[in-house]
Amino acid sequence: MKRGILKKISLPGWIFISIILGVAAGLLLKERIYSFSATIGDIFLNLLKMITLPLIFTSISTGVISVGGSKNLGRVGLKTILYYILSSLVAIVTGLLLTNTIKPGADTSFFTSSVESSSVDIQSLSIRDIILKIFTPNIFNSFAQGEMLPVIFFSLLIGFFVTRLRKKQRLLLSDILQAGFELMMKITGFILKLAPVGIFGIMAKIVSSTGLQVFGNLGKYFFTVLSGLLIHYFLSLPLIVFLFTKLNPYRHMNNMSTALLTAFSTASSSATLPVTLECAEEKSGISNKISSFVFPLGATINMDGTALYECSAAIFISQVYGIFLSIPQQIVVVLTALLASIGAAGIPMAGLVMMTVVLKSVGLPLEGIGIILAVDRILDMIRTSTNVWSDSCGALIIASSEKEVNINIYNN
Ligand code: ASP
């Protein structure tokens, strides 16, 4: 009888339970559970990371091959990029309006003390650095270092030029890459079964080391970014999906819930990618042809949550330092926030590091990053889930426009 009930709980249900149990265990057992939980959390994360690059490589190259001739590829590619830009801009403008209205940084005296406690390693990055990251001189090194942008670029090239080979070679290489991709997805399915245990470990580790104090004095700033992210998550993106597809966006959200919860707990879109692909194809009915192309790209370059956060945080920092940003300067913030979100890797805290690009573009002090550090972990979890949700919405929109969705899933 009891077993029956346990069997009825779905994977997202288990993940949700393990998030709660992890938080509770972290709070109750504190440092006593730290090393145990860190070990199981790290094993799970390492398994995800282990599979991610082979998955990206096989997924994008087979995606490009199956999207086919250069005409289709151009069309799907263009739709993908247009969606990424549109959804990121909607996110950024939401953040811009909220931060200018709520003005969370107006009461400056409140924050000055936390500036000294900055411990983040601030490396300055420029737009040129972001672009040069794509064109690696050594692809093996990029694989070894886990650099997503060059690997994506290389996989796009492979896929594209396989379609340009003579028939015999083309079929041979397509089959090999396709078999590789299916193999990676099988391994992913296996890793996914361990998700509840791994996620328990990750949550217990975070809470046992930082407690729930992470909110600190930054309540108003936290609330501003959080509201922006929630508006984008529950209103803007569903509305965009509905306008373009007429399908029920909340059903899609429910189908993607395992991926969204995994993104929340790992704070890494790249590590979540295997789970995202699995949910999109198995639950949301998006064809492999579209998902294998759109998701790996999206996990690295489409980051609505990060874009919104970059913009809000920069405006907040200007308010804290009492630096007035004119309208043209705010437009520069919007554009660099977009670029920073494209350049940010899908790993924890990547957005925080990318803040340097935005702050530098309008001459704001880089130490401002120290102020927002305290609440970054929680915001990172929420923005990562937003990033993955936006990728999922984009994939559904593009798949639906290409008639590559199993509509029956949404009709009953
Ligand atoms: N952690 C985010 C992600 O993986 C990136 C960020 O730090 O904003 O999507």
Side-chain angles (χ1 to χ4, degrees), residues 267-270 303 306 344-352 380 383-384 387:
S268 168
S269 336
S270 297
M303 298 198 176
T306 305
I347 54 172
M349 288 178 88
L352 189 75
D380 195 5
R383 65 182 189 249
T384 307
N387 293 344

Side-chain angles (χ1 to χ4, degrees), residues 156-171:
L156 285 170
L157 285 181
I158 295 272
F160 182 75
F161 284 103
V162 166
T163 65
R164 291 282 173 278
L165 292 175
R166 275 176 293 130
K167 193 168 176 210
K168 189 170 165 224
Q169 284 82 351
R170 188 177 74 232
L171 292 181

